[in-house]
Amino acid sequence: MKIGFLFNHDAAHQVAHSVGIMRAYAVKNPHDIVVALVSPALRDTVRALANDASVEWVDFRPGPTAQALAPVFDRIAPFSRKAALAANLETIAGLDALVATERTSLWARRKLGARAPAFIYIPHGAGDRGVTYHPELAQFDLLLVPGEKYVNEATAHHLVHAGNAIRIIGYPKFDMVSHDSPPRLFNNDNPVFVYNPHFDPHLSSWYDFGPELIDWFAVHSEFNLVVAPHVMLFRKRFHWSLEYRTGRFRPDIPVSAKVPNILVDIDSPRLFDMSYMRAADVYIGDASSQIYEFMTTPRPAFFLDPHGTPLHHWLAGPIAKSLDALTALLPDYRSVVAQFASAQRALIAETFDPSPVLASQRGADAIAGFMADRAC
């Protein structure tokens, strides 16, 4: 039985959602796993987290022509990801199952038709955007999800049907997170705010409010600010939202950010290893699912709403439709805990299924059970 784990993206932010499952599966099924990697950057991250698992490493890079064209076409579409799949269709066809954390992999399924292996999906987050429940997800044979919220929404969106299955396993990324004390980010004891804007040009607050929010913190040195956007925000100058059919050019970081109380990070592993979510006292965001990683411990959270498109996790804190409305609330951030702690606990309870068994092990067992049933 050959199970492929596909790591096919421009950045490493999805790795922690599936690598623990891959590692747990390899413990009981050594040499049964094929790990497909598309870039040296991903290879380094996956190998570091794989913990010497007994797996077969496969280079899934696109062909030479696609690599030459990638700098241009990756700016407007997932060109390299599809090119990597196209160059390795026969390898995929030789698997019994392919585990992926994004929908682009389904392109290979459609190309292979009846020769395709089983496709298994693990969400790379626990958020509430519409694309979290995209219709294409119904094409996966097995969905491994973190909690009851996803089951309810997937069922309501007709992603679960007679031809596939869904299993709750918890949140595997939590298994990959350090349990040491959070990193100390500033040389003072002032409260630390983390600003975590998404990249979607319709839902993200960065395009309308981001630089001005940094300007505000630059003159309020009694507060520290970590600017920790979704890792894809600064990968492109222009972003297009397929969901909302709108595109915008991304504003740059303002020069006001060059002050001691502001830390800007646009591309380090700390953007997705929960370092900032663990270290911050207060969250400011919009559409990112990292809010769920932040509020596992109830803390103040604020949301910037640029276009009046509500999201479920906005139940966790006050919503501001302008920068002035937000900054008027921030000095009294401590009062938000008492107002929204119960709502945050309810959101966590419906999103992450608790268990004494690690989510990674639950995921590995779910895959093994699914494949055993499929073989009968």
Side-chain angles (χ1 to χ4, degrees), residues 162-175:
N164 69 1
I166 188 166
R167 299 286 183 270
I168 292 176
I169 64 168
Y171 199 56
K173 183 175 178 179
F174 288 152
D175 303 345

Side-chain angles (χ1 to χ4, degrees), residues 259-275:
V259 291
N261 68 309
I262 296 179
L263 185 164
V264 177
D265 185 350
I266 63 171
D267 61 3
S268 89
R270 282 187 165 182
L271 292 178
F272 42 83
D273 70 2
M274 288 182 56
S275 291

Side-chain angles (χ1 to χ4, degrees), residues 167-351:
R167 299 286 183 270
I168 292 176
I169 64 168
Y171 199 56
K173 183 175 178 179
F174 288 152
D175 303 345
M176 300 291 105
V177 175
S178 171
H179 295 288
D180 296 335
S181 298
R184 183 176 173 83
L185 303 175
F186 298 92
N187 293 322
N188 61 59
D189 294 322
N190 294 337
V192 176
F193 290 69
V194 61
Y195 176 42
N196 177 223
H198 202 266
F199 63 83
D200 185 286
H202 179 77
L203 297 173
S204 174
S205 59
W206 178 258
Y207 301 85
D208 294 304
F209 306 129
E212 290 76 15
L213 180 61
I214 291 175
D215 292 342
W216 187 88
F217 275 95
V219 298
H220 287 81
S221 58
E222 69 272 26
F223 302 131
N224 296 317
L225 175 68
V226 177
V227 181
H230 190 291
V231 70
M232 295 307 294
L233 179 61
F234 282 84
R235 291 293 177 110
K236 298 178 182 179
R237 187 74 176 83
F238 180 81
H239 285 274
W240 175 258
S241 172
L242 289 172
E243 185 179 4
Y244 294 100
R245 296 291 190 267
T246 185
R248 298 183 72 178
F249 285 97
R250 169 192 46 76
D252 290 328
I253 301 289
V255 295
S256 63
K258 297 180 179 180
V259 291
N261 68 309
I262 296 179
L263 185 164
V264 177
D265 185 350
I266 63 171
D267 61 3
S268 89
R270 282 187 165 182
L271 292 178
F272 42 83
D273 70 2
M274 288 182 56
S275 291
Y276 299 133
M277 297 303 115
R278 294 169 60 235
D281 301 295
V282 187
Y283 180 94
I284 302 172
D286 39 60
S288 175
S289 69
Q290 289 188 62
I291 177 58
Y292 284 100
E293 299 171 5
F294 173 83
M295 64 183 176
T296 51
T297 300
R299 284 169 286 174
F302 298 87
F303 303 100
L304 276 164
D305 176 12
H307 297 115
T309 305
L311 294 166
H312 185 55
H313 61 251
W314 288 358
L315 295 171
I319 303 163
K321 294 184 179 294
S322 70
L323 187 63
D324 287 344
L326 173 69
T327 55
L329 297 171
L330 296 185
D332 193 29
Y333 69 91
R334 290 182 180 86
S335 67
V336 172
V337 179
Q339 296 176 48
F340 291 93
S342 61
Q344 291 188 10
R345 291 190 185 97
L347 286 166
I348 291 298
E350 70 177 12
T351 302

